[in-house]
CSV table of all heavy atoms in Angstrom, one decimal:
chain,number,residue,atom,x,y,z
A,14,ASP,N,-13.7,0.9,-25.6
A,14,ASP,CA,-13.2,0.3,-26.8
A,14,ASP,C,-11.7,-0.1,-26.7
A,14,ASP,O,-11.0,-0.4,-27.6
A,14,ASP,CB,-13.5,1.1,-28.0
A,14,ASP,CG,-12.8,2.5,-27.9
A,14,ASP,OD1,-12.1,2.8,-27.0
A,14,ASP,OD2,-13.1,3.3,-28.8
A,15,THR,N,-11.2,0.0,-25.4
A,15,THR,CA,-9.8,-0.4,-25.1
A,15,THR,C,-9.8,-1.4,-24.0
A,15,THR,O,-10.8,-1.6,-23.3
A,15,THR,CB,-9.0,0.8,-24.7
A,15,THR,OG1,-9.7,1.4,-23.5
A,15,THR,CG2,-8.9,1.9,-25.7
A,16,ALA,N,-8.7,-2.2,-23.9
A,16,ALA,CA,-8.6,-3.2,-22.9
A,16,ALA,C,-8.5,-2.5,-21.5
A,16,ALA,O,-7.9,-1.5,-21.3
A,16,ALA,CB,-7.4,-4.1,-23.1
A,17,LEU,N,-9.1,-3.1,-20.5
A,17,LEU,CA,-9.1,-2.6,-19.1
A,17,LEU,C,-8.7,-3.6,-18.1
A,17,LEU,O,-8.9,-4.8,-18.4
A,17,LEU,CB,-10.6,-2.1,-18.8
A,17,LEU,CG,-11.3,-1.1,-19.6
A,17,LEU,CD1,-12.7,-0.9,-19.1
A,17,LEU,CD2,-10.5,0.2,-19.6
A,18,GLU,N,-8.2,-3.2,-17.0
A,18,GLU,CA,-7.9,-4.0,-15.9
A,18,GLU,C,-7.9,-3.1,-14.6
A,18,GLU,O,-8.2,-1.9,-14.7
A,18,GLU,CB,-6.5,-4.7,-16.0
A,18,GLU,CG,-5.3,-3.7,-16.0
A,18,GLU,CD,-4.0,-4.4,-16.1
A,18,GLU,OE1,-4.0,-5.6,-16.6
A,18,GLU,OE2,-3.0,-3.8,-15.8
A,19,GLY,N,-7.6,-3.7,-13.5
A,19,GLY,CA,-7.6,-2.9,-12.2
A,19,GLY,C,-8.9,-2.2,-11.9
A,19,GLY,O,-9.0,-1.1,-11.5
A,20,ASN,N,-10.0,-3.0,-12.1
A,20,ASN,CA,-11.4,-2.4,-11.9
A,20,ASN,C,-11.7,-2.3,-10.5
A,20,ASN,O,-11.3,-3.1,-9.6
A,20,ASN,CB,-12.4,-3.3,-12.6
A,20,ASN,CG,-12.2,-4.8,-12.4
A,20,ASN,OD1,-11.3,-5.4,-12.9
A,20,ASN,ND2,-13.1,-5.3,-11.5
A,21,CYS,N,-12.4,-1.2,-10.1
A,21,CYS,CA,-12.9,-0.9,-8.8
A,21,CYS,C,-14.3,-0.4,-8.9
A,21,CYS,O,-14.6,0.6,-9.7
A,21,CYS,CB,-12.0,0.1,-8.1
A,21,CYS,SG,-12.7,0.8,-6.6
A,22,ILE,N,-15.3,-1.0,-8.2
A,22,ILE,CA,-16.7,-0.5,-8.3
A,22,ILE,C,-17.1,0.0,-6.9
A,22,ILE,O,-16.7,-0.6,-5.9
A,22,ILE,CB,-17.6,-1.6,-8.8
A,22,ILE,CG1,-19.0,-1.0,-9.1
A,22,ILE,CG2,-17.7,-2.8,-7.8
A,22,ILE,CD1,-19.8,-1.9,-10.0
A,23,TYR,N,-17.8,1.1,-6.8
A,23,TYR,CA,-18.3,1.6,-5.6
A,23,TYR,C,-19.6,2.4,-5.8
A,23,TYR,O,-19.9,2.8,-6.9
A,23,TYR,CB,-17.2,2.5,-5.0
A,23,TYR,CG,-16.8,3.7,-5.8
A,23,TYR,CD1,-17.4,5.0,-5.6
A,23,TYR,CD2,-15.9,3.6,-6.8
A,23,TYR,CE1,-17.1,6.1,-6.4
A,23,TYR,CE2,-15.5,4.7,-7.6
A,23,TYR,CZ,-16.1,5.9,-7.4
A,23,TYR,OH,-15.7,7.0,-8.2
A,24,LYS,N,-20.4,2.5,-4.7
A,24,LYS,CA,-21.7,3.1,-4.7
A,24,LYS,C,-21.5,4.6,-4.6
A,24,LYS,O,-20.7,5.1,-3.8
A,24,LYS,CB,-22.6,2.6,-3.6
A,24,LYS,CG,-24.0,2.9,-3.8
A,24,LYS,CD,-24.9,2.2,-2.7
A,24,LYS,CE,-26.3,2.3,-2.9
A,24,LYS,NZ,-26.9,3.7,-3.0
A,25,ILE,N,-22.3,5.4,-5.3
A,25,ILE,CA,-22.4,6.8,-5.1
A,25,ILE,C,-23.5,7.0,-4.0
A,25,ILE,O,-24.6,6.6,-4.1
A,25,ILE,CB,-22.9,7.5,-6.4
A,25,ILE,CG1,-21.8,7.4,-7.5
A,25,ILE,CG2,-23.2,9.0,-6.1
A,25,ILE,CD1,-20.5,8.0,-7.1
A,26,LEU,N,-23.0,7.5,-2.9
A,26,LEU,CA,-23.8,7.6,-1.7
A,26,LEU,C,-25.0,8.4,-1.9
A,26,LEU,O,-25.0,9.5,-2.6
A,26,LEU,CB,-23.0,8.2,-0.5
A,26,LEU,CG,-21.7,7.3,-0.2
A,26,LEU,CD1,-20.8,8.1,0.8
A,26,LEU,CD2,-22.2,6.0,0.5
A,27,GLY,N,-26.2,8.0,-1.4
A,27,GLY,CA,-27.4,8.7,-1.6
A,27,GLY,C,-28.1,8.5,-2.9
A,27,GLY,O,-29.0,9.2,-3.2
A,28,SER,N,-27.6,7.5,-3.7
A,28,SER,CA,-28.2,7.3,-5.0
A,28,SER,C,-28.3,5.8,-5.2
A,28,SER,O,-27.8,5.0,-4.4
A,28,SER,CB,-27.3,7.9,-6.1
A,28,SER,OG,-26.2,7.1,-6.4
A,29,ASP,N,-28.8,5.4,-6.4
A,29,ASP,CA,-28.8,4.0,-6.8
A,29,ASP,C,-27.7,3.7,-7.8
A,29,ASP,O,-27.7,2.6,-8.5
A,29,ASP,CB,-30.2,3.6,-7.3
A,29,ASP,CG,-30.6,4.4,-8.6
A,29,ASP,OD1,-29.9,5.3,-8.9
A,29,ASP,OD2,-31.6,4.0,-9.1
A,30,LYS,N,-26.7,4.6,-8.0
A,30,LYS,CA,-25.7,4.4,-9.0
A,30,LYS,C,-24.4,3.8,-8.4
A,30,LYS,O,-24.1,4.0,-7.2
A,30,LYS,CB,-25.3,5.8,-9.5
A,30,LYS,CG,-26.4,6.5,-10.3
A,30,LYS,CD,-25.9,7.8,-10.8
A,30,LYS,CE,-27.0,8.6,-11.6
A,30,LYS,NZ,-26.6,9.9,-12.0
A,31,TYR,N,-23.8,2.9,-9.2
A,31,TYR,CA,-22.5,2.3,-8.9
A,31,TYR,C,-21.6,2.7,-10.0
A,31,TYR,O,-21.9,2.6,-11.2
A,31,TYR,CB,-22.6,0.8,-8.8
A,31,TYR,CG,-23.2,0.3,-7.5
A,31,TYR,CD1,-24.6,0.3,-7.3
A,31,TYR,CD2,-22.4,-0.1,-6.4
A,31,TYR,CE1,-25.2,-0.2,-6.1
A,31,TYR,CE2,-23.0,-0.6,-5.3
A,31,TYR,CZ,-24.3,-0.6,-5.1
A,31,TYR,OH,-24.9,-1.1,-4.0
A,32,VAL,N,-20.4,3.3,-9.6
A,32,VAL,CA,-19.4,3.7,-10.5
A,32,VAL,C,-18.3,2.6,-10.6
A,32,VAL,O,-17.9,2.1,-9.5
A,32,VAL,CB,-18.8,5.1,-10.1
A,32,VAL,CG1,-17.5,5.3,-10.9
A,32,VAL,CG2,-19.8,6.2,-10.3
A,33,MET,N,-17.9,2.3,-11.8
A,33,MET,CA,-16.7,1.5,-12.0
A,33,MET,C,-15.6,2.3,-12.6
A,33,MET,O,-15.8,2.9,-13.7
A,33,MET,CB,-17.0,0.2,-12.8
A,33,MET,CG,-15.8,-0.7,-13.1
A,33,MET,SD,-16.2,-2.0,-14.2
A,33,MET,CE,-17.2,-3.1,-13.1
A,34,ILE,N,-14.4,2.3,-12.0
A,34,ILE,CA,-13.2,2.9,-12.6
A,34,ILE,C,-12.3,1.8,-12.9
A,34,ILE,O,-12.2,0.8,-12.2
A,34,ILE,CB,-12.6,3.9,-11.6
A,34,ILE,CG1,-12.2,3.3,-10.3
A,34,ILE,CG2,-13.5,5.1,-11.4
A,34,ILE,CD1,-11.5,4.2,-9.3
A,35,ALA,N,-11.6,1.9,-14.0
A,35,ALA,CA,-10.6,0.9,-14.5
A,35,ALA,C,-9.5,1.5,-15.3
A,35,ALA,O,-9.6,2.5,-15.9
A,35,ALA,CB,-11.4,-0.1,-15.4
A,36,ASP,N,-8.4,0.8,-15.2
A,36,ASP,CA,-7.1,1.2,-15.8
A,36,ASP,C,-7.1,0.8,-17.3
A,36,ASP,O,-7.2,-0.4,-17.6
A,36,ASP,CB,-6.0,0.5,-15.0
A,36,ASP,CG,-4.6,1.0,-15.4
A,36,ASP,OD1,-4.5,1.7,-16.4
A,36,ASP,OD2,-3.6,0.6,-14.7
A,37,GLN,N,-6.9,1.8,-18.1
A,37,GLN,CA,-6.7,1.5,-19.6
A,37,GLN,C,-5.2,1.3,-19.7
A,37,GLN,O,-4.4,2.1,-20.1
A,37,GLN,CB,-7.1,2.7,-20.4
A,37,GLN,CG,-8.6,3.0,-20.3
A,37,GLN,CD,-9.0,4.2,-21.2
A,37,GLN,OE1,-9.8,4.0,-22.1
A,37,GLN,NE2,-8.5,5.4,-20.9
A,38,PHE,N,-4.8,0.1,-19.4
A,38,PHE,CA,-3.3,-0.2,-19.2
A,38,PHE,C,-2.5,-0.2,-20.5
A,38,PHE,O,-1.3,0.0,-20.4
A,38,PHE,CB,-3.2,-1.6,-18.5
A,38,PHE,CG,-3.7,-2.8,-19.3
A,38,PHE,CD1,-2.8,-3.5,-20.0
A,38,PHE,CD2,-5.0,-3.1,-19.2
A,38,PHE,CE1,-3.3,-4.6,-20.8
A,38,PHE,CE2,-5.5,-4.2,-20.0
A,38,PHE,CZ,-4.7,-5.0,-20.7
A,39,ARG,N,-3.2,-0.3,-21.6
A,39,ARG,CA,-2.5,-0.1,-22.9
A,39,ARG,C,-2.6,1.3,-23.4
A,39,ARG,O,-1.6,1.9,-23.8
A,39,ARG,CB,-3.0,-1.1,-23.9
A,39,ARG,CG,-2.6,-2.5,-23.6
A,39,ARG,CD,-3.2,-3.4,-24.7
A,39,ARG,NE,-2.9,-4.8,-24.4
A,39,ARG,CZ,-3.6,-5.8,-24.8
A,39,ARG,NH1,-4.7,-5.6,-25.6
A,39,ARG,NH2,-3.4,-7.1,-24.4
């Protein structure tokens, strides 16, 4: 519910999940 930028997505090895991390710059 906050603005985001600087997103990075990567796979969790050995699974079907992808994690996205992002900067809550405000």
Side-chain angles (χ1 to χ4, degrees):
D14 57 7
T15 57
L17 302 176
E18 65 180 19
N20 46 287
C21 165
I22 191 163
Y23 59 96
K24 193 175 192 297
I25 296 298
L26 299 169
S28 79
D29 60 354
K30 295 179 181 178
Y31 284 80
V32 166
M33 178 184 287
I34 57 178
D36 186 351
Q37 298 181 117
F38 62 98
R39 290 182 185 152

